[in-house]
Amino acid sequence: MTTHERFILEDGSYIRFRKSGSGKPLILLHTIRNRLEYFDQICPLLENSFTVYALDLPGFGDSPVNKAVNYDQSYMAGAIAGFIVEHKLSELTLAGESIGAVLCTTIANMLPAQVGEIVLFNPYDYDKIFGEGVRRANPFARFIIWSMSLPIAGSVFAALENKLILWLILRGGVCDKKAFTYRFISLLSTSIRKSGNVYHTRNVFQNFKSWAEAKKQYALLQTPVTLVYGDHDWSSSEERSESRALLNPKKYIELENTGHFSFLEAPQKVVDIIKSG
């Protein structure tokens, strides 16, 4: 049985990670509002080809929240870069979805000698307001995320989140509503009551500009890029075209009947894309 390990961050908190398989290293970075178990369907299919590192992003999942930290794109990228350096990883493939995809690009620019390839699924790089992308999930999500954005009452609304609310929001990011199983939503919802979760949830959304700003680095990339979108992703066709033009990927793929959470909705296709190099 594969066990979870901890990587201690500079601020004294830590991120959970899970290592499995053998071969060249592969780091998997998850979406907004998620955790390393997001990769449970694909890790067993990758372990014969890669040494797979599945990570919690800082403050997500069962990794603790530090209320003294500003959880913007730069902080998260620095944390993952530190993980790579500490573990002396090279010839590395980074594969991420949503904010995880944006982090792949930033980290590749930070550590070009270590990162050999990046695979980007549905990069979340287009917010102009608090949680704009997630608001596109459905009318319910628009109301909830708007409520969380309010200066004073936002923390109260964020504290009211529960399993049902989380499920109603996230199912707006998939075509196949069965992709978000009761078991997985139950697991995701365990993070809701952990210490600092309200702060973390709102702080990540409040730093929306940092994800859009990271897009400016796309044109600087020297690392080979594979860019993948679900045809029902939250991004608009114009936003996808802009990112594609900046990234100039060696491969561009659109997955049919797939939304923002392709690792859940199309796991075999995701695995095939990562393996194809």
Side-chain angles (χ1 to χ4, degrees):
M1 180 178 178
T2 305
T3 58
H4 295 146
E5 301 179 61
R6 295 180 179 183
F7 174 67
I8 307 301
L9 302 176
E10 289 185 358
D11 62 89
S13 63
Y14 65 84
I15 55 173
R16 289 187 311 152
F17 72 95
R18 186 176 61 204
K19 177 183 176 183
S20 59
S22 60
K24 291 183 178 181
L26 165 68
I27 288 180
L28 300 173
L29 302 177
H30 60 70
T31 75
I32 202 163
R33 306 302 302 278
N34 228 307
R35 57 194 291 138
L36 66 80
E37 286 82 4
Y38 184 63
F39 309 115
D40 280 358
Q41 292 186 69
I42 70 168
C43 281
L45 304 176
L46 292 166
E47 290 168 358
N48 289 332
S49 302
F50 299 96
T51 299
V52 182
Y53 295 86
L55 276 62
D56 273 347
L57 295 179
F60 286 90
D62 287 341
S63 298
V65 174
N66 181 348
K67 290 185 178 180
V69 165
N70 186 36
Y71 288 96
D72 62 1
Q73 185 276 149
S74 177
Y75 173 80
M76 293 194 192
I80 305 306
F83 179 92
I84 294 167
V85 171
E86 179 70 21
H87 289 85
K88 298 180 171 62
L89 303 181
S90 60
E91 298 183 73
L92 171 65
T93 298
L94 293 174
E97 183 143 68
S98 184
I99 61 173
V102 179
L103 289 170
C104 289
T105 65
T106 308
I107 295 162
N109 274 332
M110 294 170 71
L111 301 172
Q114 287 95 324
V115 180
E117 178 181 12
I118 58 176
V119 189
L120 315 180
F121 294 83
N122 297 317
Y124 191 94
D125 56 11
Y126 38 82
D127 275 5
K128 296 180 178 63
I129 58 172
F130 184 108
E132 180 181 0
V134 182
R135 294 189 197 203
R136 298 175 186 179
N138 50 43
F140 181 78
R142 280 198 295 277
F143 173 72
I144 293 297
I145 302 302
W146 170 79
S147 300
M148 288 184 181
S149 73
L150 298 174
I152 298 174
S155 294
V156 176
F157 280 105
L160 294 175
E161 188 175 67
N162 57 34
K163 184 190 303 184
L164 177 60
I165 289 173
L166 191 61
W167 177 71
L168 288 171
I169 292 173
L170 294 183
R171 74 195 303 265
V174 292
C175 292
D176 179 6
K177 304 307 180 187
K178 295 178 181 178
F180 271 104
T181 64
Y182 179 82
R183 177 178 175 275
F184 189 64
I185 287 292
S186 296
L187 178 62
L188 286 184
S189 66
T190 61
S191 302
I192 291 173
R193 300 306 171 200
K194 77 177 181 182
S195 177
N197 180 66
V198 170
Y199 168 80
H200 182 264
T201 297
R202 296 188 72 237
N203 187 260
V204 171
F205 280 131
Q206 284 167 340
N207 280 295
F208 64 88
K209 290 182 180 179
S210 71
W211 303 98
E213 284 291 313
K215 191 171 185 173
K216 296 178 181 178
Q217 296 189 36
Y218 287 0
L220 304 177
L221 276 167
Q222 300 299 312
T223 307
V225 178
T226 297
L227 178 60
V228 186
Y229 283 104
D231 60 356
H232 287 76
D233 180 50
W234 291 331
S235 57
S236 68
S237 59
E238 292 80 9
E239 289 160 348
R240 296 178 205 179
S241 295
E242 182 180 24
S243 291
R244 183 179 182 181
L246 291 169
L247 287 163
N248 189 27
K250 67 172 186 176
K251 292 182 184 178
Y252 179 79
I253 300 166
E254 287 205 4
L255 301 176
E256 294 183 357
N257 301 315
T258 306
H260 189 68
F261 299 98
S262 65
F263 284 47
L264 293 181
E265 200 166 15
Q268 186 60 62
K269 292 178 181 178
V270 167
V271 167
D272 292 343
I273 290 167
I274 294 173
K275 284 185 173 182
S276 67

